[in-house]
Amino acid sequence: MAMKGRFHYYEGYSMKEVTFPVRVMYELGIKTLFVSNAAGGMNESFLVGDLMIITDHINFFPEHPLRGKNFPTGPRFPDMHETYDKKLIKLATEIAREKKIRVKYGVYVGVQGPTFETPAEYKMYRLLGGDAVGMSTVPEVIVAHHCGIRTFGISIITDLGGFNSPVEVSHEEVQKAANKAQPLMTTIMREMIVQSEQVESKRKEKFNTDHPTEPWK
């Protein structure tokens, strides 16, 4: 299942509306979620156009996506120690190395928006442990994790902030940088899907060999 775009909290949607597609995915039997976004880089080693594999996130949204009656898809207080699947991160790393694609790793800070960050805000998020900041992803990932869906995420670094020299940001510049880096991100994710399907196929084949009278379920 693929989505063309997403619902953003800053557009006026509620958290339930923003994360509703993930609930649908769960009901359809989706086991793995790939997420991507455009983000502002705060790590001094980052360059515009870099791909940052998300290793963790910091939630700065004013409303929590699990607020309210607990859905039976997960516990009332879900553990968030491995929100982004380590095996998927390892697989993406191997593919990027094989394809000679430059990747970075870091913590994504999710904020409400729709304004880009002030220089002081960039510096604050960096001091708190963030490497990139954006206005999406975190709500969907939290709900996916609550549903037991494995998650892998990539941020395209479309602009930089929080350094000594202030940098003005425009939506057009963000789109331009994202469009340039998108093919590289697509290459990694496509290969991840191919290899994951191969592993699943071998797993089914082994199951059917070990249990010849029991069809794969």
Side-chain angles (χ1 to χ4, degrees), residues 159-173:
D159 58 278
L160 301 171
F163 308 140
N164 292 330
S165 301
V167 180
E168 292 187 9
V169 185
S170 71
H171 181 60
E172 290 72 25
E173 289 174 335

Side-chain angles (χ1 to χ4, degrees), residues 101-202:
I101 298 174
R102 170 187 164 100
V103 292
K104 294 290 188 175
Y105 305 86
V107 176
Y108 177 84
V109 181
V111 298
Q112 173 179 320
T115 55
F116 291 111
E117 288 66 42
T118 66
E121 287 171 337
Y122 273 122
K123 290 179 181 179
M124 177 188 71
Y125 294 140
R126 179 61 178 153
L127 287 172
L128 291 175
D131 294 286
V133 58
M135 308 169 194
S136 64
T137 302
V138 171
E140 298 101 306
V141 168
I142 290 175
V143 170
H145 192 69
H146 184 257
C147 291
I149 298 174
R150 298 194 308 162
T151 303
F152 172 78
I154 287 184
S155 293
I156 297 177
I157 305 304
T158 55
D159 58 278
L160 301 171
F163 308 140
N164 292 330
S165 301
V167 180
E168 292 187 9
V169 185
S170 71
H171 181 60
E172 290 72 25
E173 289 174 335
V174 168
Q175 284 185 316
K176 184 178 179 180
N179 291 337
K180 187 176 180 180
Q182 185 173 346
L184 299 176
M185 178 189 70
T186 302
T187 296
I188 293 175
M189 288 190 170
R190 181 184 290 117
E191 186 62 26
M192 288 178 72
I193 292 171
V194 169
Q195 292 193 26
S196 296
E197 287 178 344
Q198 291 173 348
V199 170
E200 183 68 8
S201 178
K202 290 180 181 179

Side-chain angles (χ1 to χ4, degrees), residues 4-197:
K4 185 178 181 180
R6 53 156 55 95
F7 301 107
H8 293 90
Y9 188 71
Y10 65 74
E11 294 177 286
Y13 294 103
S14 69
M15 277 297 176
K16 287 186 177 180
E17 291 172 316
V18 169
T19 59
F20 181 72
V22 179
R23 297 290 184 190
V24 175
M25 292 176 191
Y26 171 80
E27 295 298 333
L28 292 175
I30 300 297
K31 303 297 182 183
T32 305
L33 174 67
F34 287 32
V35 293
S36 65
N37 58 58
M42 302 174 289
N43 188 315
E44 292 185 0
S45 70
F46 288 1
L47 300 173
V48 171
D50 273 347
L51 299 178
M52 185 192 84
I53 294 176
I54 304 174
T55 58
D56 204 346
H57 72 230
I58 299 174
N59 182 15
F60 262 95
F61 282 89
E63 180 186 349
H64 199 282
L66 299 182
R67 178 178 179 271
K69 185 178 179 180
N70 186 49
F71 279 80
T73 56
R76 170 76 281 187
F77 304 104
D79 178 84
M80 301 294 287
H81 274 87
E82 191 180 333
T83 310
Y84 298 86
D85 191 88
K86 291 181 180 179
K87 290 183 179 179
L88 293 176
I89 292 174
K90 181 181 178 182
L91 176 59
T93 299
E94 293 171 351
I95 292 170
R97 186 180 298 119
E98 179 186 338
K99 302 290 185 182
K100 293 180 170 46
I101 298 174
R102 170 187 164 100
V103 292
K104 294 290 188 175
Y105 305 86
V107 176
Y108 177 84
V109 181
V111 298
Q112 173 179 320
T115 55
F116 291 111
E117 288 66 42
T118 66
E121 287 171 337
Y122 273 122
K123 290 179 181 179
M124 177 188 71
Y125 294 140
R126 179 61 178 153
L127 287 172
L128 291 175
D131 294 286
V133 58
M135 308 169 194
S136 64
T137 302
V138 171
E140 298 101 306
V141 168
I142 290 175
V143 170
H145 192 69
H146 184 257
C147 291
I149 298 174
R150 298 194 308 162
T151 303
F152 172 78
I154 287 184
S155 293
I156 297 177
I157 305 304
T158 55
D159 58 278
L160 301 171
F163 308 140
N164 292 330
S165 301
V167 180
E168 292 187 9
V169 185
S170 71
H171 181 60
E172 290 72 25
E173 289 174 335
V174 168
Q175 284 185 316
K176 184 178 179 180
N179 291 337
K180 187 176 180 180
Q182 185 173 346
L184 299 176
M185 178 189 70
T186 302
T187 296
I188 293 175
M189 288 190 170
R190 181 184 290 117
E191 186 62 26
M192 288 178 72
I193 292 171
V194 169
Q195 292 193 26
S196 296
E197 287 178 344

